[in-house]
Structure formats: structure tokens, C-alpha cells
Amino acid sequence: PPYSQTVRSETFAPNHTSMNCDTTKHVDVLKGAVQAVWQFLDEEGFVAARDALGKEARLKSEDTKSKRKNGYLLSALQCYEEFLLSKTKSNEEVKKDRKLEEDLVNPKGGPTKPATESLIAGTKHEANVIDVRFCRMPGFTDAVASADVRGSVYITNSTTGKSRCLIKPGVLKAPILTMDSSPKHKKIAIGCMNGDQCIVNIKSKNFNEFLSSKDGKEVEVSHEFEKHGKYVNRIRWSSDGTLLATCSYDKEVRIYSLSSNMKPELAGRFLFRRGVECVEWGGAKCSLTLFVSLQGDNYIHTIDATKMKKGSKFNMNSFGDDHVSFTVLDLNCSLDGNYLLACTDKDRVIMFASNSEKQARNFFGADSGQYFNPRAVMDYNNTHVYGTSINNTIVGWDVGSQRIVSTLSGHKKMI
């Protein structure tokens, strides 16, 4: 009988004595292929298809307990695509893919060392810390801003550990969910759970002066924004500090520009069909492109801030279909603007070639949970990617090989 019939009727364990060695090997390979597909369907959330495959192929419980690494099928397909590319004639697309692979395997300036645990900054937060960001403000080298659920913000020197309160509890009416510092001005933008947004102006000349000052007059909180309908998921300055983007589950993205008197003015508002999870400005070569991810959507959307209109959208599914198997909860663009990290709720971080559907890398090994908000970042020359895991650790991957090279522990609760 045909191999498919043999496999189905014998549950991968044919006992026909006439079956020769080649046929047995074929069945073993076919069994491995079915297991790989079952694992892929399970990882991607195709529950009905997974169960249907298991039933039709009569998979036993031990057949579904694969020892293969996560993303096994995708990795195999990627290797096969590279093999096919090697057999085709040279063209622009092939050259582009080869250049991309060369950049990832051989980062500019040479590979960096994986991050290690060092300073434990002793801030005076009295409640759970919700957000932490390195400050890009002029004169604030080594400064880290952190915000908690009571609405207080501290700025800490990441080298010495010295810390000072920027905003005291009670100044803001709701917990802070997101913040970002301007790379051009001494301003920190803040988004809150009740939809409020504000800008904190720091009058100190530099970081040392701020840390040593005690009168509190060097800080001014200004409320110059229209309130979002739901809580603010992200607030982000563009790399040149001229534009500020906010997004919310009210399905809206807003972009503000700073006027001559340094007040934010609404430059554009964009409505999407679902709640907006995240916005992220592009890096160097696409610094005025805003990337947008939505709840339960398989596309990365863009906004062209030079024209203040929606731009292209990119399908995140490898096969170009519109099945939604994950939601992107975090976006992070590389400093050079070449790559975009999409951190999903399904134990997977995808690295896209910026402004394209090309999946340059897939990283597995950082676990997500139902109520976990994972985050992922790249180092300055794209040697390593780091992602948070639900087990209170940070997983580090080598971008070239996609292997886990470090696990950072230290936090006792969810990151």
C-alpha cells in the first residue's frame, strides 16, 4: 500500500515482514516530519489543526513530547530556503538576503560580549516598578529613569547607584505605565493608566546638578495633552526629539510636534481597527517612520511622519496568510534602523529586516504567560538580543547563531 496508508493504519509501527529497510527508514522520516508539524502547530497556537493532525496520524502521548528545540520546523525551513537560494542564479533579492545574513553573522566593529549582572541600583521605590528607561537627555549620561504604580519617578546613576526622586507620589492621578526621555531636551514624557499624558521639564543643567539639588524647584510637570480614551500603552520620542508618539487601547495613535515655545501640538491622529499595543520609531535611516502593532493582528503597520499619513503594512506570517496566532506586545528597532524586534505573547521573538516582511531571525527560549508582558532589546551593534522571561530572568541570544548564550537572574519577581 502507499506509505501514507501504511502509516495511518499502523500508527507509525508497521509490522509487515515484507517491508524492506528503505521503507522502514521512510516511515521513520515521515514520523519525524509529522511530529515536527505537530510541534509547529502547537507552538503557533493552531489548536484545532494540531488536534486534527494528532487524531488522524494516531499520535501517542510520547510522540508529542519532542526533544527538539523550539522553532525546529521554522529553522529547518530556513535552512532549506538558504539551500534553494544557493542553487538559484544571482539576483537582487538573493544579494540582499546574503548581505543581511553577512551583517548578522559579522556585526560592525566585531561581536560584543554577552551582558553580565553587575550593579544593583538601590532606588527608594515603595511600590512595584512598572517601567524603566535609560535617559537620552543631554547632560544626563548614565541616568536611568524608573516609575512605579504609585506614580513616583526616580532617576538613578547606573554607575554609582545614587538616586533621586523626580516625581513624588500623588502628583499624578494614576499609575505610570510608560515613559521616555527626549534626546534633544531635558524632558521626560509620561503616560498613565487613566489615559493622562504629561511632560516633565527638568531645569537642572546636568545630571550631577540634579542629583545634588534638594529644593525641588528644578522640576516642572506640564499637562498639555488631550486625554486618551483608555490607558496609555506607549509614549515615545523620535530619535531627533522633534516628535512624540502616544498610543492606547482606544485604537488611536497620536503624534505631537514641539512648537517654538516648546509646547506639544497635535500633528496627526490615526485610528486603527483594534486597540494599539505598541509604537516604536525607526532607527537611523528610517527615524521618521513609526511602527505600530495592534491587538490580535498579524500585521506591523507604519505611519510616515514626514507626510503624516499611514504607510505600508507588513504581514508577520511566514506564509503570507492572515491567521492570527500571536500578538506583538513590544517593538524595538535597532540603532542603525536595519532591524525591528517583535516580541510576541507566544514564547517567540521575531527579528524582521526593517520595513519588510523578511524574518531575519527567530528567537525561542524566553517563556511568556497569559498575563506576562514580555520585552526585548538589541545591543548597539546587533550582536545580541535580550528578552524577558516569565521565570524572572532575562534570556540573551547570539544573533548570528540564534543560540542562548546568557541567562541573567537577580530579580525575585516578574520583570
Side-chain angles (χ1 to χ4, degrees):
Y3 294 127
S4 58
Q5 294 179 14
T6 302
V7 170
R8 211 173 289 144
S9 63
E10 300 297 335
T11 320
F12 298 122
N15 55 11
H16 300 297
T17 56
S18 60
M19 182 173 289
N20 60 33
C21 191
D22 289 339
T23 304
T24 304
K25 289 181 179 178
H26 179 87
V27 172
D28 289 340
V29 172
L30 187 57
K31 176 181 178 181
V34 172
Q35 289 173 328
V37 173
W38 190 96
Q39 179 184 344
F40 168 78
L41 295 174
D42 184 61
E43 291 173 351
E44 296 298 319
F46 296 96
V47 179
R50 178 201 65 190
D51 293 344
L53 176 64
K55 183 178 180 180
E56 185 172 0
R58 298 183 183 180
L59 290 176
K60 299 177 182 178
S61 59
E62 58 265 24
D63 294 328
T64 61
K65 296 177 181 178
S66 175
K67 296 181 180 179
R68 299 184 179 92
K69 66 174 184 177
N70 290 341
Y72 177 82
L73 184 60
L74 290 177
S75 298
L77 288 172
Q78 186 176 8
C79 291
Y80 184 63
E81 287 178 1
E82 292 172 0
F83 169 76
L84 291 179
L85 283 175
S86 68
K87 300 297 182 182
T88 59
K89 293 182 180 179
S90 178
N91 54 57
E92 289 302 317
E93 200 62 36
V94 173
K95 290 179 180 178
K96 193 178 295 184
D97 287 344
R98 286 175 177 169
K99 184 181 184 303
L100 182 147
E101 189 64 26
E102 184 67 25
D103 289 342
L104 293 176
V105 174
N106 300 300
K108 293 180 180 178
T112 59
K113 293 182 179 180
T116 57
E117 299 160 29
S118 55
L119 176 73
I120 298 177
T123 61
K124 299 178 181 179
H125 283 288
E126 297 178 355
N128 291 339
V129 177
I130 297 297
D131 195 23
V132 60
R133 301 281 291 177
F134 277 102
C135 294
R136 299 178 293 167
M137 298 179 293
F140 276 67
T141 305
D142 299 326
V144 177
S146 54
D148 63 36
V149 295
R150 294 182 61 190
S152 65
V153 178
Y154 282 83
I155 298 185
T156 304
N157 188 312
S158 62
T159 302
T160 65
K162 188 176 181 180
S163 181
R164 183 177 171 224
C165 183
L166 177 71
I167 300 177
K168 296 180 179 180
V171 175
L172 303 178
K173 297 179 181 180
I176 297 170
L177 295 182
T178 178
M179 61 182 175
D180 196 27
S181 61
S182 170
K184 189 176 182 179
H185 309 284
K186 289 189 279 293
K187 297 177 179 291
I188 294 180
I190 291 174
C192 299
M193 186 175 283
N194 65 348
D196 277 343
Q197 308 128 85
C198 67
I199 289 181
V200 180
N201 300 303
I202 301 175
K203 300 177 183 179
S204 303
K205 294 180 181 179
N206 53 53
F207 191 21
N208 288 333
E209 182 178 304
F210 169 79
L211 289 174
S212 59
S213 179
K214 297 180 180 180
D215 56 15
K217 296 181 180 180
E218 72 285 354
V219 177
E220 176 187 54
V221 180
S222 60
H223 299 262
E224 304 287 351
F225 299 91
E226 177 187 348
K227 190 174 181 178
H228 269 291
K230 294 186 178 182
Y231 52 83
V232 183
N233 283 327
R234 290 293 188 283
I235 192 163
R236 292 290 183 263
W237 292 97
S238 60
S239 60
D240 62 0
T242 60
L243 297 173
L244 181 67
T246 69
C247 71
S248 169
Y249 281 153
D250 63 4
K251 305 180 182 180
E252 195 170 54
V253 173
R254 300 175 189 169
I255 298 179
Y256 296 87
S257 60
L258 291 180
S259 63
S260 56
N261 60 357
M262 302 305 293
K263 288 188 176 182
E265 295 180 348
L266 185 64
R269 59 196 310 163
F270 307 87
L271 191 64
F272 291 87
R273 67 186 185 91
R274 292 181 180 273
V276 184
E277 285 283 359
C278 183
V279 292
E280 171 76 352
W281 291 101
K285 66 179 184 180
C286 52
S287 60
L288 293 180
T289 297
L290 186 68
F291 296 99
V292 181
S293 68
L294 310 179
Q295 287 179 306
D297 187 71
N298 59 295
Y299 287 88
I300 292 177
H301 302 259
T302 63
I303 295 174
D304 183 353
T306 60
K307 301 176 181 178
M308 283 299 163
K309 68 176 186 179
K310 291 183 181 179
S312 304
K313 63 179 184 178
F314 305 104
N315 195 334
M316 292 184 284
N317 289 338
S318 302
F319 303 109
D321 60 278
D322 283 327
H323 178 79
V324 179
S325 58
F326 58 80
T327 293
V328 171
L329 301 179
D330 187 48
L331 292 170
N332 189 275
C333 194
S334 62
L335 292 177
D336 57 14
N338 290 333
Y339 308 103
L340 182 70
L341 281 183
C343 198
T344 76
D345 59 349
K346 296 296 182 181
D347 309 334
R348 178 184 175 194
V349 179
I350 310 171
M351 176 187 278
F352 290 95
S354 191
N355 280 310
S356 78
E357 297 176 351
K358 172 69 177 177
Q359 293 188 16
R361 290 290 187 269
N362 279 272
F363 303 102
F364 297 90
D367 299 326
S368 301
Q370 186 177 0
Y371 303 107
F372 184 63
N373 267 313
R375 298 289 183 264
V377 295
M378 285 170 276
D379 60 12
Y380 71 92
N381 73 341
N382 311 326
T383 299
H384 298 101
V385 166
Y386 299 92
T388 58
S389 184
I390 197 171
N391 62 356
N392 309 333
T393 63
I394 298 172
V395 178
W397 295 274
D398 175 79
V399 171
S401 65
Q402 302 177 77
R403 291 195 303 265
I404 294 177
V405 292
S406 65
T407 301
L408 307 178
S409 58
H411 285 285
K412 297 179 180 179
K413 293 186 179 181
M414 187 180 295
I415 303 173

